[in-house]
Amino acid sequence: MFDYENLRLIWWALLGVLLIGFAIMDGFDFGIAALLRVLGRNDDERLVLLETIEPTWEGNQVWFILGGGAVFAAWPMLYAVSFSGMYLAIALVLLAFILRPVGFNFRGKVHDARWRNLWDWVLVGSGVVVMLISGVAFGNLFLGVPFQFDGDLRMSWHGGFFELLHPFALVAGLVSLSMLLAHGACWAALKADHVIAERAARIARWIALVYAVLYVLAGIWLAYGIPGYAIVGPVVTDGPANPLFKEVARGGSWFASYLQHPWFWAAPVVALLGAIGVQLTVGKRGLGGFLCSSLMVAGTILSAGFALFPFLLPSSLDPRSSLTIWDASSSRGTLLLMLGVTAVFMPIIIAYTSWVYRVMRGRVTLEHVRNSHNGY
């Protein structure tokens, strides 16, 4: 059960789970932040929106830390290449992560409208930057990124930040942005005062429609305008972690894996059904709208991961240097040890998170903010 091939597959699946967990749990935080000036018409309404995420946003970042730790431990080559080559893009994301708590904590330190407006826009910017750059990064995976290895596995990167802003990558960024904005609006429709919730529900429906159009457009572009990658010859699934031991051809379809594994088509179907579900359920009683937007997020990430399979980071300079799940992992012993650690701590994290959300259930009302808030 835990041979090298299966461990690699398990950790590929776990990487997807962590990405989905991060996008769902932290995604609505960033969506709320980005929509703060749209959903909140005055300072009281913006306080309501911030209080819907205030008790949980720090805990939600556990998924981001877990994702980074999993890449470092299970896929060290992926970590080294992506963090080195995309340094500026990752630095911008980290800056947004740093500014967000500063915005939360500093916003109420001075009772001045200009001061609060400044930090409101910091929160808006931090949300937009993370959501947009995350999507652009995913888009570049399908285009291939400009790195290669020499015979001693020394990596060299030949490109800059602005070269990552390919039109397809920007469309992927807009898919991510619209998806998480809709997700954040669904959270506001679930948790905010009814006045704000009705506004959020209307906005969620429109943004989910924009997402669906962009998602289909990106899929068509990927199918007919972006050449795919494929391993040529026999695939060694339990060999050493050396990407130069394989041959890769470019020019096929990124949807070849969908033909080999027809059940992969469930992912884009779930994504689009989630968007339709947002149209039908958001703003109504219960968790329906938020659950549908969560399915939309999960289906989108899964559909991208399934299309890339078995590639993790394709190379546009030297396709043979592309990293796959079969040649970029840690040793079998490391994967097995980390799997044991994950089996212990992941249920604890999920149980604790579930308990926190149960305790903090219910809406944040304008009356509560006006009567009890001291100092924001």
Side-chain angles (χ1 to χ4, degrees), residues 326-347:
W326 311 124
D327 56 29
S329 72
S330 295
S331 66
R332 179 182 179 276
T334 300
L335 295 181
L336 188 59
L337 174 63
M338 291 301 299
L339 183 62
V341 173
T342 302
V344 172
F345 286 100
M346 182 71 79

Side-chain angles (χ1 to χ4, degrees), residues 18-148:
L18 293 173
L19 286 173
I20 291 170
F22 167 62
I24 290 176
M25 302 305 296
D26 227 12
F28 70 79
D29 288 351
F30 286 108
I32 289 289
L35 290 170
L36 188 61
R37 302 288 298 191
V38 175
L39 295 178
R41 300 291 175 81
N42 54 53
D43 195 58
D44 285 343
E45 291 186 355
R46 288 192 278 274
L47 284 174
V48 168
L49 290 167
L50 291 175
E51 288 206 1
T52 65
I53 60 176
E54 185 181 23
T56 56
W57 71 266
E58 286 183 292
N60 290 340
Q61 292 189 150
V62 166
W63 293 95
F64 178 72
I65 297 169
L66 286 175
V71 172
F72 177 79
W75 311 103
M77 286 189 181
L78 174 63
Y79 184 92
V81 173
S82 58
F83 276 65
S84 298
M86 299 183 183
Y87 186 83
L88 181 56
I90 292 173
L92 287 174
V93 170
L94 292 177
L95 179 62
F97 269 93
I98 292 168
L99 287 175
R100 186 169 64 149
V102 176
F104 283 133
N105 291 312
F106 275 37
R107 186 183 185 276
K109 296 299 183 182
V110 178
H111 296 285
D112 180 81
R114 291 172 299 178
W115 175 264
R116 293 190 176 193
N117 288 340
L118 168 65
W119 292 109
D120 284 350
W121 286 112
V122 168
L123 291 171
V124 170
S126 67
V128 171
V129 165
V130 172
M131 294 186 291
L132 186 63
I133 290 183
S134 297
V136 169
F138 256 99
N140 274 282
L141 297 183
F142 294 103
L143 297 166
V145 293
F147 76 95
Q148 62 184 1

